[in-house]
Amino acid sequence: MPLLLQLDALTRGAVSLNGELPLAELEMVSLDELVEPAGPLKYNLVAEKNGESILLEGSLGMLLNCECARCLKTYEHRVDLRNWSCLLPLKGEESVQITGDTADLTPYLREDTFLAFPQHPLCGSECGGIAKTAENGGIPAQSGSAPEEPENENVWAELDKLDLK
Ligand SMILES: [Zn+2]
């Protein structure tokens, strides 16, 4: 079931909305293969009439299965939006979709949860990653100036080309 709000109920005051939206209901497709929704979207909200709008306030949460961008380890990440709020206009071009006397709140919850997905998932801020660890192990500590010389020559060669122009 999508999250439907009875507009009629709002005229009598604030309405509490608690529950969860199953993933099947959300049709949430992650754009990042490293981030996969793993659990329902849990919500704990209060809806209130606010002039010509509905004000939604509360918290949203969802469990994600992430793959660390550095070391490829899989780990769980919880999207946790506390003090989330959203103003849904009842009139105008951006107004909320109303069917009969019910407004479907699902798209708003889905979108903001989606926006809270990690952009560059890391298993931890200290993660060194596999590539970096291998590099440090493979290169002797005192490699000195020898590998740098050819690089410098290339730099001068590039500058020479520029001078000719
Ligand atoms: Zn990692």
Side-chain angles (χ1 to χ4, degrees):
M1 279 291 290
L3 175 51
L4 299 175
L5 176 65
Q6 301 281 339
L7 296 180
D8 185 45
L10 286 179
T11 58
R12 294 190 293 271
V15 175
S16 294
L17 302 159
N18 301 299
E20 50 185 51
L21 290 162
L23 286 178
E25 191 69 52
L26 295 167
E27 293 166 8
M28 221 164 188
V29 180
S30 176
L31 298 176
D32 189 339
E33 58 182 11
L34 298 178
V35 179
E36 203 63 51
L41 198 172
K42 294 186 179 174
Y43 56 88
N44 190 338
L45 304 169
V46 173
E48 253 183 304
K49 191 108 190 287
N50 187 321
E52 296 293 306
S53 308
I54 302 169
L55 178 65
L56 282 180
E57 276 182 308
S59 60
L60 302 176
M62 181 186 269
L63 194 64
L64 305 176
N65 275 333
C66 296
E67 204 172 301
C68 178
R70 285 188 192 156
C71 72
L72 304 182
K73 189 174 91 177
T74 53
Y75 67 99
E76 286 188 346
H77 176 86
R78 184 173 288 280
V79 169
D80 206 3
L81 295 170
R82 293 173 191 278
N83 306 316
W84 178 77
S85 67
C86 186
L87 199 61
L88 315 178
L90 291 167
K91 291 183 177 170
E93 273 182 30
E94 301 286 304
S95 69
V96 62
Q97 281 233 327
I98 297 167
T99 311
D101 187 46
T102 55
D104 186 0
L105 306 181
T106 314
Y108 302 92
L109 274 61
R110 175 175 55 206
E111 184 173 345
D112 279 12
T113 303
F114 186 69
L115 290 174
F117 279 19
Q119 296 296 307
H120 186 71
L122 294 177
C123 63
S125 56
E126 298 296 307
C127 177
I130 34 174
K132 203 171 178 183
T133 312
E135 264 175 35
N136 288 344
I139 297 173
Q142 292 178 333
S143 52
S145 57
E148 282 175 23
E149 275 167 21
E151 201 178 302
N152 285 342
E153 277 171 18
N154 289 338
V155 170
W156 289 117
E158 290 298 320
L159 287 175
D160 285 343
K161 281 183 209 162
L162 290 174
D163 282 344
L164 291 173
K165 282 178 186 172

